[in-house]
Amino acid sequence: MNWKNIAAVTLALVVGLGLVIRMATRLPEPPAHQVFINGDVLTMDADNRVVEALSIRGDRIDLLGTTGDVMAAADDDTVVVDLRGRTLLPGFIDAHGHFPASAMNTIYADLNSPPIGTLITMDDVLAALNEQASGVPEGEWVVGFGYDDTLLEEKRHPTREELDQVSTVHPVVAMHVSGHMLVANSMALEIAGISADSPDPEGGVIGRLPGSQEPNGLLEETARLGIMQYLQDMSIFDGYRLMKAAAREYASVGVTTAQSGGVSRTLAQGLSLFSKLGVIPQRLVLFPFETEFGEDLLNGEYQAGDYNGERLVMGAVKLVADGSIQGYTGYLSQPYYTPYHGDAGYRGYPAIPREKLFEQVAALHQAGYQIAIHGNGDESIEDILDAFEAAQQQHPVDDPRMILIHAQMAREDQVSRMKALGVTPSFFSAHTWYWGDRHRDIFLGPERAAVISPARWAQDNSLRFSSHLDTPVTPMLPLQAVWSAVFRQTYGGDVLGPEQRISVMDALRAVTIDAAWQVFQEDNRGSLEPGKYADLVVLSGNPLNEPQAMRELQVEQTVIGGVTVYRRR
């Protein structure tokens, strides 16, 4: 997210507006002592202990045990919370997402179809963009996010011509739900310098009109990045609105650590600033994009300490090795089930050529960085594992925890390799719900779709993993991720690969302690143990008791560092 005239705006914010925001948004100090009693306290410790009470001193957990044990340490000033049988567990950790993009609907048009949104036809999509255009000054960008060509009645992308009909005095962009492609109108293409003379960039495709080199508006993968730079250029006030709304949303669903899994310099600066000002109460883990920080990662110019704060950590360096299965840009070893544009041999393509991937991984690994690589298709995963194995052979690291983001089509042999190499997958478990039917019927076929996000294979190999939602690709609903890992039920009501299901407790660990471990934060969060941050969520019931109904459970209270940041009315 780029702010216009970032240096001047930041200076003004720090000197003037920053003081006002700090006074208005700073978090209160936690009580000196507070206790939660008479509940089901799921600790997520090594033994998965369940106790009934917990004590907090300041921002840290002090004691766990029976209600009697905890109340014995209370005095007249202790704040006592009677859970009345409700469930307390560690705050949910967003293992991979794109905070604060869940709040894009505060500034952009929402183009999602069911089960996320309401749009079902192309006319619906265009109407939403037209409404957005009506409130935007001439010349400013008109943007919508979340359309899904396979869910619209027309089963296609919008066209450049249709977006020209929305406006010829605004650059207009419709972003695909995957986040890996977009459609632009003529004005947007012209601003980005994309024309019939533009070659496809490395790792991307410019869609063309039939029988012509003229762009049809569809830009895949790296071809979309030029336009994305313009979309990230927003005012400081829009940035504030976005972050404030996202923080409220995450707190309301029990998320105490949020992730921005691929940041530019200016987004990192903005998140760092707003975190320090108290606008964002969540702890943040940021993954710097290799494409954004470039050589500075290797020449010493990049310093994580320039961004780190009390609640913010710059984490693994992010690479994107392929695209999206539902966008036909994931890189598979075997062709897609339904041929793409009639090409029966089409397998997608890498976003980073194999030789270049080897070079980038080797350089980052040698420099001492944890690495996080987006890989969906099994051929992309093979390239990633080969590159990391070569890097490990050259510069062995005992506990690298290289994160393989999504790992959606990981084969059983690849899961075994991950364990041997010190690679940890973060599965997009909710894919079974949101795209399972279409993975089976359109993209992958029944056999491959049955083993997407193979959590059971990971367990069989004693491979530690996390579970994520890739928000804003899907809504930030941690219990949906847990439910999907347990039941693997599709939106159409079928079970996709029952042999890959895992237990409720294991699925809860994948959004708490195992997610914390994955980013080297397990010593301070992710489980309820003495000395760790008092980051907690109170649920209206226990997911262990009625697993099928866990998605209906309410978040009653969210606590970060001993401070209640959300309470259900």
Side-chain angles (χ1 to χ4, degrees), residues 91-124:
F92 296 123
I93 293 175
D94 173 19
H96 178 69
H98 301 278
F99 184 92
S102 68
M104 283 196 297
N105 58 4
T106 62
I107 56 175
Y108 295 155
D110 186 347
L111 306 181
N112 277 283
S113 298
I116 298 174
T118 61
L119 309 191
I120 58 176
T121 69
M122 190 62 66
D123 283 345
D124 293 338

PDB file of all heavy atoms in Angstrom, residues 91-124:
ATOM      1  N   GLY A  91      -5.685 -17.066  21.519  1.00  0.00           N
ATOM      2  CA  GLY A  91      -6.168 -16.271  20.400  1.00  0.00           C
ATOM      3  C   GLY A  91      -5.746 -16.907  19.085  1.00  0.00           C
ATOM      4  O   GLY A  91      -4.665 -17.492  18.967  1.00  0.00           O
ATOM      5  N   PHE A  92      -6.606 -16.805  18.082  1.00  0.00           N
ATOM      6  CA  PHE A  92      -6.316 -17.408  16.782  1.00  0.00           C
ATOM      7  C   PHE A  92      -5.168 -16.663  16.094  1.00  0.00           C
ATOM      8  O   PHE A  92      -5.073 -15.427  16.155  1.00  0.00           O
ATOM      9  CB  PHE A  92      -7.550 -17.392  15.895  1.00  0.00           C
ATOM     10  CG  PHE A  92      -8.681 -18.222  16.433  1.00  0.00           C
ATOM     11  CD1 PHE A  92      -9.925 -17.650  16.667  1.00  0.00           C
ATOM     12  CD2 PHE A  92      -8.511 -19.572  16.720  1.00  0.00           C
ATOM     13  CE1 PHE A  92     -10.976 -18.401  17.167  1.00  0.00           C
ATOM     14  CE2 PHE A  92      -9.554 -20.333  17.224  1.00  0.00           C
ATOM     15  CZ  PHE A  92     -10.793 -19.745  17.454  1.00  0.00           C
ATOM     16  N   ILE A  93      -4.326 -17.424  15.421  1.00  0.00           N
ATOM     17  CA  ILE A  93      -3.188 -16.863  14.703  1.00  0.00           C
ATOM     18  C   ILE A  93      -3.421 -17.028  13.210  1.00  0.00           C
ATOM     19  O   ILE A  93      -3.640 -18.146  12.720  1.00  0.00           O
ATOM     20  CB  ILE A  93      -1.880 -17.542  15.136  1.00  0.00           C
ATOM     21  CG1 ILE A  93      -1.592 -17.187  16.600  1.00  0.00           C
ATOM     22  CG2 ILE A  93      -0.713 -17.135  14.232  1.00  0.00           C
ATOM     23  CD1 ILE A  93      -0.388 -17.888  17.187  1.00  0.00           C
ATOM     24  N   ASP A  94      -3.407 -15.930  12.506  1.00  0.00           N
ATOM     25  CA  ASP A  94      -3.561 -15.917  11.046  1.00  0.00           C
ATOM     26  C   ASP A  94      -2.239 -16.400  10.440  1.00  0.00           C
ATOM     27  O   ASP A  94      -1.269 -15.664  10.380  1.00  0.00           O
ATOM     28  CB  ASP A  94      -3.892 -14.490  10.603  1.00  0.00           C
ATOM     29  CG  ASP A  94      -3.903 -14.308   9.097  1.00  0.00           C
ATOM     30  OD1 ASP A  94      -4.017 -15.318   8.375  1.00  0.00           O
ATOM     31  OD2 ASP A  94      -3.786 -13.152   8.652  1.00  0.00           O
ATOM     32  N   ALA A  95      -2.222 -17.669   9.998  1.00  0.00           N
ATOM     33  CA  ALA A  95      -0.979 -18.258   9.497  1.00  0.00           C
ATOM     34  C   ALA A  95      -0.588 -17.731   8.130  1.00  0.00           C
ATOM     35  O   ALA A  95       0.600 -17.690   7.799  1.00  0.00           O
ATOM     36  CB  ALA A  95      -1.105 -19.782   9.453  1.00  0.00           C
ATOM     37  N   HIS A  96      -1.568 -17.348   7.331  1.00  0.00           N
ATOM     38  CA  HIS A  96      -1.245 -16.669   6.071  1.00  0.00           C
ATOM     39  C   HIS A  96      -2.466 -15.902   5.585  1.00  0.00           C
ATOM     40  O   HIS A  96      -3.518 -16.463   5.304  1.00  0.00           O
ATOM     41  CB  HIS A  96      -0.800 -17.636   4.976  1.00  0.00           C
ATOM     42  CG  HIS A  96      -0.523 -16.915   3.688  1.00  0.00           C
ATOM     43  ND1 HIS A  96       0.555 -16.064   3.547  1.00  0.00           N
ATOM     44  CD2 HIS A  96      -1.181 -16.859   2.510  1.00  0.00           C
ATOM     45  CE1 HIS A  96       0.543 -15.541   2.334  1.00  0.00           C
ATOM     46  NE2 HIS A  96      -0.505 -16.005   1.687  1.00  0.00           N
ATOM     47  N   GLY A  97      -2.293 -14.606   5.480  1.00  0.00           N
ATOM     48  CA  GLY A  97      -3.332 -13.726   4.969  1.00  0.00           C
ATOM     49  C   GLY A  97      -2.705 -12.435   4.512  1.00  0.00           C
ATOM     50  O   GLY A  97      -1.469 -12.314   4.427  1.00  0.00           O
ATOM     51  N   HIS A  98      -3.535 -11.464   4.229  1.00  0.00           N
ATOM     52  CA  HIS A  98      -3.045 -10.208   3.656  1.00  0.00           C
ATOM     53  C   HIS A  98      -3.675  -9.019   4.374  1.00  0.00           C
ATOM     54  O   HIS A  98      -4.321  -8.168   3.759  1.00  0.00           O
ATOM     55  CB  HIS A  98      -3.321 -10.176   2.153  1.00  0.00           C
ATOM     56  CG  HIS A  98      -2.680 -11.306   1.421  1.00  0.00           C
ATOM     57  ND1 HIS A  98      -1.364 -11.286   1.033  1.00  0.00           N
ATOM     58  CD2 HIS A  98      -3.161 -12.514   1.041  1.00  0.00           C
ATOM     59  CE1 HIS A  98      -1.060 -12.427   0.435  1.00  0.00           C
ATOM     60  NE2 HIS A  98      -2.137 -13.187   0.431  1.00  0.00           N
ATOM     61  N   PHE A  99      -3.493  -8.974   5.682  1.00  0.00           N
ATOM     62  CA  PHE A  99      -3.979  -7.850   6.476  1.00  0.00           C
ATOM     63  C   PHE A  99      -3.385  -6.549   5.911  1.00  0.00           C
ATOM     64  O   PHE A  99      -2.193  -6.496   5.613  1.00  0.00           O
ATOM     65  CB  PHE A  99      -3.532  -8.044   7.929  1.00  0.00           C
ATOM     66  CG  PHE A  99      -4.056  -7.002   8.875  1.00  0.00           C
ATOM     67  CD1 PHE A  99      -5.238  -7.203   9.547  1.00  0.00           C
ATOM     68  CD2 PHE A  99      -3.361  -5.820   9.082  1.00  0.00           C
ATOM     69  CE1 PHE A  99      -5.726  -6.242  10.421  1.00  0.00           C
ATOM     70  CE2 PHE A  99      -3.845  -4.854   9.940  1.00  0.00           C
ATOM     71  CZ  PHE A  99      -5.031  -5.065  10.614  1.00  0.00           C
ATOM     72  N   PRO A 100      -4.200  -5.491   5.737  1.00  0.00           N
ATOM     73  CA  PRO A 100      -5.599  -5.299   6.135  1.00  0.00           C
ATOM     74  C   PRO A 100      -6.596  -5.444   4.996  1.00  0.00           C
ATOM     75  O   PRO A 100      -7.641  -4.806   4.998  1.00  0.00           O
ATOM     76  CB  PRO A 100      -5.568  -3.859   6.632  1.00  0.00           C
ATOM     77  CG  PRO A 100      -4.611  -3.178   5.672  1.00  0.00           C
ATOM     78  CD  PRO A 100      -3.568  -4.221   5.333  1.00  0.00           C
ATOM     79  N   ALA A 101      -6.282  -6.262   3.981  1.00  0.00           N
ATOM     80  CA  ALA A 101      -7.080  -6.291   2.757  1.00  0.00           C
ATOM     81  C   ALA A 101      -8.484  -6.833   2.954  1.00  0.00           C
ATOM     82  O   ALA A 101      -9.323  -6.689   2.067  1.00  0.00           O
ATOM     83  CB  ALA A 101      -6.351  -7.093   1.681  1.00  0.00           C
ATOM     84  N   SER A 102      -8.778  -7.448   4.102  1.00  0.00           N
ATOM     85  CA  SER A 102     -10.144  -7.914   4.331  1.00  0.00           C
ATOM     86  C   SER A 102     -11.135  -6.762   4.346  1.00  0.00           C
ATOM     87  O   SER A 102     -12.335  -6.958   4.126  1.00  0.00           O
ATOM     88  CB  SER A 102     -10.233  -8.672   5.660  1.00  0.00           C
ATOM     89  OG  SER A 102     -10.050  -7.794   6.752  1.00  0.00           O
ATOM     90  N   ALA A 103     -10.635  -5.560   4.594  1.00  0.00           N
ATOM     91  CA  ALA A 103     -11.511  -4.383   4.677  1.00  0.00           C
ATOM     92  C   ALA A 103     -11.570  -3.613   3.359  1.00  0.00           C
ATOM     93  O   ALA A 103     -11.996  -2.456   3.342  1.00  0.00           O
ATOM     94  CB  ALA A 103     -11.039  -3.462   5.801  1.00  0.00           C
ATOM     95  N   MET A 104     -11.176  -4.244   2.272  1.00  0.00           N
ATOM     96  CA  MET A 104     -11.212  -3.543   0.986  1.00  0.00           C
ATOM     97  C   MET A 104     -12.602  -3.065   0.614  1.00  0.00           C
ATOM     98  O   MET A 104     -12.750  -2.111  -0.155  1.00  0.00           O
ATOM     99  CB  MET A 104     -10.652  -4.438  -0.124  1.00  0.00           C
ATOM    100  CG  MET A 104      -9.157  -4.543  -0.138  1.00  0.00           C
ATOM    101  SD  MET A 104      -8.498  -5.203  -1.690  1.00  0.00           S
ATOM    102  CE  MET A 104      -9.216  -6.823  -1.697  1.00  0.00           C
ATOM    103  N   ASN A 105     -13.634  -3.739   1.151  1.00  0.00           N
ATOM    104  CA  ASN A 105     -14.989  -3.299   0.808  1.00  0.00           C
ATOM    105  C   ASN A 105     -15.325  -1.934   1.392  1.00  0.00           C
ATOM    106  O   ASN A 105     -16.373  -1.359   1.075  1.00  0.00           O
ATOM    107  CB  ASN A 105     -16.030  -4.329   1.244  1.00  0.00           C
ATOM    108  CG  ASN A 105     -15.990  -4.638   2.729  1.00  0.00           C
ATOM    109  OD1 ASN A 105     -15.220  -4.032   3.478  1.00  0.00           O
ATOM    110  ND2 ASN A 105     -16.802  -5.581   3.162  1.00  0.00           N
ATOM    111  N   THR A 106     -14.448  -1.393   2.244  1.00  0.00           N
ATOM    112  CA  THR A 106     -14.684  -0.028   2.730  1.00  0.00           C
ATOM    113  C   THR A 106     -14.323   1.010   1.675  1.00  0.00           C
ATOM    114  O   THR A 106     -14.768   2.151   1.760  1.00  0.00           O
ATOM    115  CB  THR A 106     -13.860   0.251   4.003  1.00  0.00           C
ATOM    116  OG1 THR A 106     -12.459   0.141   3.698  1.00  0.00           O
ATOM    117  CG2 THR A 106     -14.222  -0.725   5.114  1.00  0.00           C
ATOM    118  N   ILE A 107     -13.482   0.616   0.699  1.00  0.00           N
ATOM    119  CA  ILE A 107     -13.082   1.579  -0.336  1.00  0.00           C
ATOM    120  C   ILE A 107     -13.309   1.062  -1.751  1.00  0.00           C
ATOM    121  O   ILE A 107     -13.289   1.848  -2.705  1.00  0.00           O
ATOM    122  CB  ILE A 107     -11.599   1.985  -0.177  1.00  0.00           C
ATOM    123  CG1 ILE A 107     -10.690   0.764  -0.180  1.00  0.00           C
ATOM    124  CG2 ILE A 107     -11.399   2.794   1.092  1.00  0.00           C
ATOM    125  CD1 ILE A 107      -9.203   1.098  -0.141  1.00  0.00           C
ATOM    126  N   TYR A 108     -13.521  -0.254  -1.918  1.00  0.00           N
ATOM    127  CA  TYR A 108     -13.725  -0.858  -3.239  1.00  0.00           C
ATOM    128  C   TYR A 108     -15.091  -1.543  -3.304  1.00  0.00           C
ATOM    129  O   TYR A 108     -15.709  -1.826  -2.278  1.00  0.00           O
ATOM    130  CB  TYR A 108     -12.646  -1.904  -3.539  1.00  0.00           C
ATOM    131  CG  TYR A 108     -11.238  -1.374  -3.663  1.00  0.00           C
ATOM    132  CD1 TYR A 108     -10.157  -2.211  -3.415  1.00  0.00           C
ATOM    133  CD2 TYR A 108     -10.978  -0.059  -4.038  1.00  0.00           C
ATOM    134  CE1 TYR A 108      -8.846  -1.756  -3.535  1.00  0.00           C
ATOM    135  CE2 TYR A 108      -9.680   0.410  -4.152  1.00  0.00           C
ATOM    136  CZ  TYR A 108      -8.613  -0.445  -3.888  1.00  0.00           C
ATOM    137  OH  TYR A 108      -7.326   0.009  -4.005  1.00  0.00           O
ATOM    138  N   ALA A 109     -15.507  -1.873  -4.522  1.00  0.00           N
ATOM    139  CA  ALA A 109     -16.757  -2.614  -4.711  1.00  0.00           C
ATOM    140  C   ALA A 109     -16.523  -4.100  -4.434  1.00  0.00           C
ATOM    141  O   ALA A 109     -15.513  -4.665  -4.855  1.00  0.00           O
ATOM    142  CB  ALA A 109     -17.263  -2.429  -6.140  1.00  0.00           C
ATOM    143  N   ASP A 110     -17.473  -4.718  -3.751  1.00  0.00           N
ATOM    144  CA  ASP A 110     -17.414  -6.150  -3.450  1.00  0.00           C
ATOM    145  C   ASP A 110     -18.077  -6.910  -4.600  1.00  0.00           C
ATOM    146  O   ASP A 110     -19.278  -6.770  -4.841  1.00  0.00           O
ATOM    147  CB  ASP A 110     -18.127  -6.437  -2.129  1.00  0.00           C
ATOM    148  CG  ASP A 110     -17.987  -7.872  -1.673  1.00  0.00           C
ATOM    149  OD1 ASP A 110     -17.557  -8.721  -2.479  1.00  0.00           O
ATOM    150  OD2 ASP A 110     -18.317  -8.159  -0.505  1.00  0.00           O
ATOM    151  N   LEU A 111     -17.290  -7.746  -5.293  1.00  0.00           N
ATOM    152  CA  LEU A 111     -17.784  -8.461  -6.471  1.00  0.00           C
ATOM    153  C   LEU A 111     -17.963  -9.954  -6.218  1.00  0.00           C
ATOM    154  O   LEU A 111     -18.120 -10.740  -7.157  1.00  0.00           O
ATOM    155  CB  LEU A 111     -16.822  -8.258  -7.646  1.00  0.00           C
ATOM    156  CG  LEU A 111     -16.470  -6.814  -8.019  1.00  0.00           C
ATOM    157  CD1 LEU A 111     -15.533  -6.792  -9.222  1.00  0.00           C
ATOM    158  CD2 LEU A 111     -17.720  -5.983  -8.293  1.00  0.00           C
ATOM    159  N   ASN A 112     -17.939 -10.385  -4.973  1.00  0.00           N
ATOM    160  CA  ASN A 112     -17.999 -11.811  -4.652  1.00  0.00           C
ATOM    161  C   ASN A 112     -19.368 -12.426  -4.950  1.00  0.00           C
ATOM    162  O   ASN A 112     -20.398 -11.787  -4.807  1.00  0.00           O
ATOM    163  CB  ASN A 112     -17.678 -12.028  -3.180  1.00  0.00           C
ATOM    164  CG  ASN A 112     -16.187 -12.058  -2.910  1.00  0.00           C
ATOM    165  OD1 ASN A 112     -15.523 -13.061  -3.195  1.00  0.00           O
ATOM    166  ND2 ASN A 112     -15.656 -10.965  -2.383  1.00  0.00           N
ATOM    167  N   SER A 113     -19.319 -13.701  -5.314  1.00  0.00           N
ATOM    168  CA  SER A 113     -20.515 -14.526  -5.495  1.00  0.00           C
ATOM    169  C   SER A 113     -20.707 -15.391  -4.261  1.00  0.00           C
ATOM    170  O   SER A 113     -19.803 -15.517  -3.432  1.00  0.00           O
ATOM    171  CB  SER A 113     -20.350 -15.414  -6.732  1.00  0.00           C
ATOM    172  OG  SER A 113     -20.211 -14.644  -7.904  1.00  0.00           O
ATOM    173  N   PRO A 114     -21.876 -16.036  -4.098  1.00  0.00           N
ATOM    174  CA  PRO A 114     -22.073 -16.967  -2.989  1.00  0.00           C
ATOM    175  C   PRO A 114     -21.024 -18.090  -3.035  1.00  0.00           C
ATOM    176  O   PRO A 114     -20.608 -18.479  -4.131  1.00  0.00           O
ATOM    177  CB  PRO A 114     -23.483 -17.516  -3.239  1.00  0.00           C
ATOM    178  CG  PRO A 114     -24.163 -16.454  -4.053  1.00  0.00           C
ATOM    179  CD  PRO A 114     -23.086 -15.879  -4.922  1.00  0.00           C
ATOM    180  N   PRO A 115     -20.563 -18.581  -1.883  1.00  0.00           N
ATOM    181  CA  PRO A 115     -21.107 -18.338  -0.547  1.00  0.00           C
ATOM    182  C   PRO A 115     -20.541 -17.112   0.159  1.00  0.00           C
ATOM    183  O   PRO A 115     -20.896 -16.862   1.308  1.00  0.00           O
ATOM    184  CB  PRO A 115     -20.696 -19.604   0.202  1.00  0.00           C
ATOM    185  CG  PRO A 115     -19.399 -19.994  -0.412  1.00  0.00           C
ATOM    186  CD  PRO A 115     -19.546 -19.652  -1.868  1.00  0.00           C
ATOM    187  N   ILE A 116     -19.641 -16.369  -0.501  1.00  0.00           N
ATOM    188  CA  ILE A 116     -19.035 -15.210   0.153  1.00  0.00           C
ATOM    189  C   ILE A 116     -19.891 -13.970  -0.047  1.00  0.00           C
ATOM    190  O   ILE A 116     -20.165 -13.232   0.894  1.00  0.00           O
ATOM    191  CB  ILE A 116     -17.610 -14.977  -0.378  1.00  0.00           C
ATOM    192  CG1 ILE A 116     -16.727 -16.193  -0.065  1.00  0.00           C
ATOM    193  CG2 ILE A 116     -17.010 -13.712   0.223  1.00  0.00           C
ATOM    194  CD1 ILE A 116     -15.340 -16.118  -0.680  1.00  0.00           C
ATOM    195  N   GLY A 117     -20.302 -13.712  -1.286  1.00  0.00           N
ATOM    196  CA  GLY A 117     -21.073 -12.518  -1.605  1.00  0.00           C
ATOM    197  C   GLY A 117     -22.419 -12.854  -2.205  1.00  0.00           C
ATOM    198  O   GLY A 117     -22.964 -13.937  -1.989  1.00  0.00           O
ATOM    199  N   THR A 118     -22.950 -11.935  -3.042  1.00  0.00           N
ATOM    200  CA  THR A 118     -24.317 -12.099  -3.547  1.00  0.00           C
ATOM    201  C   THR A 118     -24.422 -12.009  -5.063  1.00  0.00           C
ATOM    202  O   THR A 118     -25.502 -12.228  -5.609  1.00  0.00           O
ATOM    203  CB  THR A 118     -25.235 -11.020  -2.940  1.00  0.00           C
ATOM    204  OG1 THR A 118     -24.766  -9.716  -3.322  1.00  0.00           O
ATOM    205  CG2 THR A 118     -25.275 -11.119  -1.417  1.00  0.00           C
ATOM    206  N   LEU A 119     -23.337 -11.699  -5.771  1.00  0.00           N
ATOM    207  CA  LEU A 119     -23.439 -11.447  -7.210  1.00  0.00           C
ATOM    208  C   LEU A 119     -23.425 -12.757  -7.995  1.00  0.00           C
ATOM    209  O   LEU A 119     -22.586 -13.630  -7.759  1.00  0.00           O
ATOM    210  CB  LEU A 119     -22.288 -10.560  -7.673  1.00  0.00           C
ATOM    211  CG  LEU A 119     -22.046  -9.265  -6.876  1.00  0.00           C
ATOM    212  CD1 LEU A 119     -21.057  -8.360  -7.600  1.00  0.00           C
ATOM    213  CD2 LEU A 119     -23.352  -8.530  -6.611  1.00  0.00           C
ATOM    214  N   ILE A 120     -24.358 -12.893  -8.953  1.00  0.00           N
ATOM    215  CA  ILE A 120     -24.464 -14.161  -9.681  1.00  0.00           C
ATOM    216  C   ILE A 120     -24.390 -13.995 -11.195  1.00  0.00           C
ATOM    217  O   ILE A 120     -24.260 -14.987 -11.915  1.00  0.00           O
ATOM    218  CB  ILE A 120     -25.763 -14.903  -9.308  1.00  0.00           C
ATOM    219  CG1 ILE A 120     -26.992 -14.048  -9.606  1.00  0.00           C
ATOM    220  CG2 ILE A 120     -25.734 -15.334  -7.847  1.00  0.00           C
ATOM    221  CD1 ILE A 120     -28.310 -14.778  -9.356  1.00  0.00           C
ATOM    222  N   THR A 121     -24.457 -12.771 -11.685  1.00  0.00           N
ATOM    223  CA  THR A 121     -24.379 -12.548 -13.129  1.00  0.00           C
ATOM    224  C   THR A 121     -23.356 -11.458 -13.451  1.00  0.00           C
ATOM    225  O   THR A 121     -22.964 -10.682 -12.574  1.00  0.00           O
ATOM    226  CB  THR A 121     -25.740 -12.118 -13.716  1.00  0.00           C
ATOM    227  OG1 THR A 121     -26.050 -10.795 -13.248  1.00  0.00           O
ATOM    228  CG2 THR A 121     -26.849 -13.079 -13.308  1.00  0.00           C
ATOM    229  N   MET A 122     -22.987 -11.396 -14.728  1.00  0.00           N
ATOM    230  CA  MET A 122     -22.073 -10.340 -15.150  1.00  0.00           C
ATOM    231  C   MET A 122     -22.727  -8.973 -14.994  1.00  0.00           C
ATOM    232  O   MET A 122     -22.052  -7.984 -14.654  1.00  0.00           O
ATOM    233  CB  MET A 122     -21.650 -10.557 -16.608  1.00  0.00           C
ATOM    234  CG  MET A 122     -20.524  -9.646 -17.067  1.00  0.00           C
ATOM    235  SD  MET A 122     -18.995  -9.895 -16.117  1.00  0.00           S
ATOM    236  CE  MET A 122     -18.576 -11.565 -16.615  1.00  0.00           C
ATOM    237  N   ASP A 123     -24.026  -8.897 -15.219  1.00  0.00           N
ATOM    238  CA  ASP A 123     -24.725  -7.624 -15.008  1.00  0.00           C
ATOM    239  C   ASP A 123     -24.597  -7.166 -13.557  1.00  0.00           C
ATOM    240  O   ASP A 123     -24.471  -5.969 -13.276  1.00  0.00           O
ATOM    241  CB  ASP A 123     -26.203  -7.757 -15.385  1.00  0.00           C
ATOM    242  CG  ASP A 123     -26.424  -7.741 -16.891  1.00  0.00           C
ATOM    243  OD1 ASP A 123     -25.485  -7.342 -17.625  1.00  0.00           O
ATOM    244  OD2 ASP A 123     -27.530  -8.125 -17.328  1.00  0.00           O
ATOM    245  N   ASP A 124     -24.627  -8.120 -12.610  1.00  0.00           N
ATOM    246  CA  ASP A 124     -24.445  -7.769 -11.207  1.00  0.00           C
ATOM    247  C   ASP A 124     -23.068  -7.161 -10.975  1.00  0.00           C
ATOM    248  O   ASP A 124     -22.916  -6.169 -10.243  1.00  0.00           O
ATOM    249  CB  ASP A 124     -24.592  -9.008 -10.316  1.00  0.00           C
ATOM    250  CG  ASP A 124     -26.000  -9.571 -10.292  1.00  0.00           C
ATOM    251  OD1 ASP A 124     -26.943  -8.822 -10.605  1.00  0.00           O
ATOM    252  OD2 ASP A 124     -26.140 -10.758  -9.955  1.00  0.00           O
TER     253      ASP A 124
END
